[in-house]
Amino acid sequence: MDRDQLQGILPAFGIRENISALEPLLHVDDLHQAPPQYKLVARLRFRQSPPLILRLLKEERSPAAYVQEQGELAAFFVEKGIPTVAPMKVLDGRRYANIPYQGHTLLAILERDLGPEITSASLETCALAGQLLGRMHAVVLENDVHMQHGKAIFDFAAGSDVDGGPMLRDVLQQHGCITEAGELHQLYQNRRKELLTHWPDLPHGAVQGDLSINNLTQDSTGRLFVFDYNCAGECALISDAVLQGMLFAREMDYPEEELHVTPRQRFSAFFDAYQQQRPLCAAEAALWPSLYQVMDAFWFMRVRYGADSLEMQLAERPDMPLDAWMAGVQARLHDVSIVV
């Protein structure tokens, strides 16, 4: 879309001022594919008003009802004093506008620009992020807020994107390691079954779903702001907290002067700060170490995607002995040092 086309979207949100500069941040145009997809994220600048962020979407995973629910969750957090931003409303109260484009209908979401995302996760940032997530979970729990649409990517019960248990079996089977695949998958399934037995006892609620440095910005006082509810959904709160904390501690960019800091230290900073804002209930306190252990043992980047992942190692050495790798899984499944 060019500037004139984007300008034509703004009146739906009650904005008449002309765009003075357009800064595309992300553009994916696969409308000719099946299913058709489109995503544009752009910063709109004006001569007299602060900049805005415009998102145009057509995604199978983001129907209009889900986008509306994302916006309402963001608005709830704003109302409760959480440092975040909510999409602007159109005249009929929706938090998106329907935009015709090349025979398709795109969803337009417009919100205040919070500024550039942070570039790295220092130990202090880990603590601030954990604190922010704890506050968000606390107000959700206090107000009994839930979502009907969307799959939270850190929900272990629903199959988390960072859970490498299922993908480990696939990787091993693809390389002919049938016996090892069966043994490790049984270990994973045993722990999963044990955890899910207690899942109904855990507090659940609506979560933002992706508290990464890509979705955080920081003001001049050091306060973190969160944006982008594209991964929001219903989740066991302790699952969201532990898995987000592990991802924040392992897979972000970190300051060069803190490369000596271990992932375990970063996780502790995140999770300790989280609990200061939202103390765990008895069921969560009993369950979270076991959840951490199984996620650590079957961490997705260790299985696939990482530069030194098992998949990469097997591609280079198909006959690689797996005894040490399997022993490492066993050790992590029974590592109690995280709670010491």
Side-chain angles (χ1 to χ4, degrees):
M1 279 195 177
D2 59 28
R3 185 188 298 188
D4 289 341
Q5 290 172 305
L6 297 181
Q7 183 72 54
I9 295 172
L10 300 185
F13 296 91
I15 296 174
R16 304 294 176 182
E17 188 174 353
N18 289 331
I19 300 170
S20 63
L22 172 64
E23 182 183 344
L25 303 175
L26 175 66
H27 189 204
V28 177
D29 186 349
D30 287 329
L31 289 175
H32 59 286
Q33 302 288 341
Q37 295 192 58
Y38 186 92
K39 187 170 187 178
L40 171 68
V41 182
R43 178 175 286 112
L44 310 181
R45 297 191 182 276
F46 306 90
R47 296 193 186 281
Q48 298 182 352
S49 302
L52 299 172
I53 297 295
L54 175 67
R55 306 175 194 274
L56 290 174
L57 298 175
K58 183 176 180 61
E59 296 179 315
E60 190 174 28
R61 65 176 297 274
S62 299
Y66 180 35
V67 170
Q68 177 67 17
E69 202 170 20
Q70 293 170 3
E72 293 301 334
L73 178 62
F76 162 78
F77 283 133
V78 170
E79 177 187 339
K80 295 302 178 181
I82 299 297
T84 188
V85 62
M88 299 170 64
K89 289 183 178 181
V90 296
L91 296 180
D92 65 2
R94 287 177 291 121
R95 294 190 180 273
Y96 65 90
N98 290 314
I99 306 298
Y101 180 66
Q102 295 185 2
H104 298 273
T105 299
L106 308 182
L107 304 181
I109 302 102
L110 193 65
E111 62 191 31
R112 180 167 54 94
D113 181 16
L114 292 177
E117 61 196 40
I118 62 176
T119 57
S120 64
S122 66
L123 202 57
E124 180 183 20
T125 303
C126 291
L128 289 173
Q131 182 183 69
L132 176 57
L133 187 65
R135 287 182 59 197
M136 296 173 80
H137 284 184
V139 297
V140 161
L141 201 56
E142 290 165 6
N143 293 274
D144 196 26
V145 179
H146 299 275
M147 289 187 68
Q148 301 300 316
H149 302 86
K151 169 185 171 292
I153 62 176
F154 295 106
D155 186 357
F156 177 75
S160 169
D161 288 11
V162 298
D163 182 357
M167 70 176 67
L168 176 59
R169 180 177 59 176
D170 294 341
V171 167
L172 290 172
Q173 288 180 342
Q174 288 167 9
H175 288 84
C177 307
I178 307 302
T179 301
E180 294 87 347
E183 291 178 9
L184 289 173
H185 192 66
Q186 190 60 54
L187 286 174
Y188 169 79
Q189 286 292 87
N190 290 345
R191 181 63 65 92
R192 179 176 174 83
K193 182 178 179 180
E194 175 189 335
L195 285 167
L196 295 189
T197 299
H198 304 285
W199 220 252
D201 302 327
L202 303 175
H204 288 65
V207 299
Q208 179 266 349
D210 188 11
L211 201 71
S212 70
I213 60 174
N214 298 320
N215 296 328
L216 292 169
T217 188
Q218 200 164 24
D219 67 11
S220 58
T221 69
R223 184 171 62 155
L224 287 185
F225 286 73
V226 60
F227 57 91
D228 193 347
Y229 287 74
N230 192 45
C231 295
E234 185 76 4
C235 191
L237 300 183
I238 191 62
S239 181
D240 192 54
V242 170
L243 273 58
Q244 291 228 52
M246 293 180 74
L247 190 73
F248 213 92
R250 296 167 181 237
E251 308 301 341
M252 304 294 116
D253 291 326
Y254 304 103
E256 287 190 11
E257 63 272 19
E258 290 191 5
L259 294 182
H260 64 283
V261 177
T262 67
R264 183 69 62 85
Q265 290 172 317
R266 288 192 286 264
F267 175 81
S268 294
F270 182 103
F271 198 54
D272 289 349
Y274 174 90
Q275 293 180 81
Q276 290 172 10
Q277 298 297 314
R278 190 186 81 84
L280 306 183
C281 70
E284 292 172 315
L287 178 139
W288 84 260
S290 184
L291 176 61
Y292 182 99
Q293 289 168 340
V294 71
M295 292 304 304
D296 186 28
F298 297 95
W299 188 247
F300 75 119
M301 291 294 286
R302 192 179 289 122
V303 175
R304 180 177 281 168
Y305 309 123
D308 194 35
S309 67
L310 178 63
E311 185 174 55
M312 294 292 290
Q313 293 180 53
L314 286 172
E316 295 175 1
R317 295 177 55 203
D319 59 346
M320 180 184 83
L322 292 174
D323 294 351
W325 213 92
M326 295 179 70
V329 170
Q330 286 276 17
R332 294 183 186 96
L333 273 176
H334 299 92
D335 180 10
V336 297
S337 63
I338 185 63
V339 295
V340 175

